Amino acid sequence: MVTIIIPNFNGLAFLQDCLDAICPQAEEEDRHVLVVDNGSTDGSVDFLRQYPGIETIFLPTNTGFCGAVNAGIRASHTRYVILLNNDTKARPGYVQALIDGMERDGKLFSISAQMLMMHSPENIDNAGDLYTALGYAKGRGIGKPAKDYDRAAEIFSSCGGAAIYRRAVFDEIGLFDETHFAYLEDVDMGYRARIYGWRNRYLPEAKVEHRGSGFSGSRYNSFKVSLASRNSVYLPWKNMPLLQLILNLPLLVLGFLVKTLFFAGKGLGREYVKGLWEGVKLCLKRENRDKKVPFQWRHLINYIKIQLQLWVNIFRIL
C-alpha cells in the first residue's frame, strides 16, 4: 500500500526520534520504511545498519533531497509513497490518515500533512504550500495557531517534508527534478501535477512535529538563499508556456526586486542576486530544455486555473 521514504544526510541527531515515531506505524504488511542515505559522514550509516526493521539505500555522494527521494521512489512498488523529513516526529495515526485521504479521492496526486513546530507544537510549521505570480512560494500558516488550520483545504502543492503521493502519477509526469537539488522541488512537482489535471490537498488529521532547517542548519543562510533564489527563476521558466511567462514577467521582476531588498537587509543580498543569475543560466542551458513542461492544448483549462490561483495567492501571502 505505501512506502515511507526518509532521505537522510548527516542527520544522525534526528534519526532515532524520527524512526522510533514512524516505524510502529509501519508494522502492517502493506507498509514499508525505506531510508535513503545521501553519503553521510556523521555516523548515520552505522546507525542505520543497526536499526531493525527498515530497508536502507546508501548513496555514495550527496545527491540532494531530489536525488535521494527519486532513488526511493524508483525502488518502491506500492500504490502510494510518503516522503518524510528526517527531522520530524510523526504522531500516531499519521500514516493511516494520509492513506485514508488518498483512498477517498482518486483525483488527488498528493496530500500534505499538518506540520507543527517541534518546540512549540501549538503552532503551524507548514499546512501546504502556496505559489504566487510574484515567484514566491510560501508555506501556509507558518507560526500561526494550529487550531486555525484544523480543516482540510485545497493547496497549490504539498510540502515534501511530510506528504503522501500517488505513485502511478510519477510515471505520467516524471520524478522530482534533480536540477533543483533542494528547495522548491516540491512546488515544481505539485505545479506539474496541476498542469496534468491532478489536485493537491492539505489534511490536518495527519500530524507531524518538525524541527525545521535540519538540512541547511538555519532559516536564512548563504547556501539556502542562493539555491532557493536560483530555483525561483528556474521553476516558472520550466512550467509556464511562453505567453504565460510574458504575462507574469512584470510581477516576477517585482517579486525578485522586493526579495533582493529583503535579503540585502539581512546581509545576504549578494547571495540572493547570485542565485538569480545562476537560475537564468540554468534556463539557458541546452540540457535543461527537455525538462521544460511541453504545452499541450488539452491542458489549456488547467493553465487558466493555475494562473487564476497564482494571482489569488498574492493576496493570501500578504
Side-chain angles (χ1 to χ4, degrees), residues 26-208:
E27 292 177 348
E28 299 179 27
E29 291 184 2
D30 62 353
R31 302 177 186 184
H32 180 60
V33 176
L34 173 61
V35 180
V36 183
D37 186 80
N38 249 335
S40 294
T41 58
D42 66 341
S44 291
V45 172
D46 290 337
F47 173 85
L48 291 168
R49 283 176 174 157
Q50 296 173 12
Y51 196 94
I54 63 170
E55 180 186 354
T56 308
I57 296 174
F58 295 103
L59 301 178
T61 58
N62 183 9
T63 61
F65 177 88
C66 298
V69 299
N70 282 349
I73 294 168
R74 290 189 189 101
S76 68
H77 303 283
T78 48
R79 184 181 305 174
Y80 307 116
V81 294
I82 289 175
L83 304 186
L84 186 65
N85 278 6
N86 61 357
D87 59 346
T88 60
K89 289 174 64 176
R91 290 190 175 179
Y94 162 78
V95 172
Q96 189 61 53
L98 290 179
I99 292 174
D100 290 345
M102 294 295 278
E103 292 285 279
R104 285 194 297 266
D105 190 341
K107 297 296 184 180
L108 291 178
F109 167 56
S110 71
I111 294 177
S112 196
Q114 183 181 85
M115 300 180 74
L116 305 165
M117 294 182 173
M118 190 165 289
H119 300 297
S120 55
E122 69 279 5
N123 294 324
I124 290 288
D125 183 76
N126 185 285
D129 289 332
L130 299 174
Y131 184 61
T132 78
L134 293 168
Y136 297 170
K138 183 179 180 180
R140 295 173 65 244
I142 296 176
K144 296 181 179 179
K147 61 182 177 62
D148 294 343
Y149 291 83
D150 60 355
R151 292 185 180 181
E154 295 291 311
I155 53 176
F156 190 87
S157 60
S158 293
C159 175
I164 189 170
Y165 298 84
R166 195 175 302 275
R167 174 67 178 81
V169 180
F170 291 114
D171 297 328
E172 178 184 4
I173 69 175
L175 297 175
F176 285 85
D177 184 350
E178 296 185 23
T179 302
H180 284 91
F181 190 79
Y183 305 120
L184 299 182
E185 74 291 326
D186 46 6
V187 179
D188 169 64
M189 180 58 71
Y191 199 137
R192 254 185 291 156
R194 292 174 65 91
I195 291 172
Y196 280 77
W198 295 92
R199 295 170 26 245
N200 306 294
R201 194 160 178 80
Y202 159 72
L203 187 67
E205 289 81 7
K207 302 179 187 293
V208 299

Side-chain angles (χ1 to χ4, degrees), residues 177-306:
D177 184 350
E178 296 185 23
T179 302
H180 284 91
F181 190 79
Y183 305 120
L184 299 182
E185 74 291 326
D186 46 6
V187 179
D188 169 64
M189 180 58 71
Y191 199 137
R192 254 185 291 156
R194 292 174 65 91
I195 291 172
Y196 280 77
W198 295 92
R199 295 170 26 245
N200 306 294
R201 194 160 178 80
Y202 159 72
L203 187 67
E205 289 81 7
K207 302 179 187 293
V208 299
E209 297 177 17
H210 183 221
R211 283 185 175 87
S213 300
F215 172 64
S216 63
S218 61
R219 184 175 182 184
Y220 299 122
N221 57 71
S222 58
F223 170 81
K224 183 175 181 178
V225 168
S226 180
L227 192 57
S229 66
R230 184 198 73 161
N231 293 343
S232 70
V233 174
Y234 178 62
L235 190 153
W237 171 84
K238 177 185 173 183
N239 290 287
M240 292 183 183
L242 179 59
L243 288 178
Q244 191 179 18
L245 268 175
I246 294 172
L247 175 66
N248 287 295
L249 187 59
L251 286 173
L252 289 170
V253 171
L254 174 62
F256 294 148
L257 177 60
V258 171
K259 278 288 185 77
T260 298
L261 296 174
F262 172 81
F263 283 112
K266 294 185 175 295
L268 293 167
R270 180 177 297 179
E271 288 81 356
Y272 182 78
V273 172
K274 179 182 177 182
L276 293 178
W277 176 238
E278 291 298 321
V280 171
K281 291 194 290 185
L282 271 187
C283 299
L284 296 176
K285 282 187 176 181
R286 181 173 296 179
E287 58 265 34
N288 288 330
R289 293 177 186 173
D290 290 340
K291 297 180 180 179
K292 186 171 175 64
V293 179
F295 175 79
Q296 299 179 52
W297 283 105
R298 65 189 178 95
H299 294 154
L300 179 60
I301 188 64
N302 299 329
Y303 281 109
I304 294 172
K305 290 178 180 178
I306 290 169

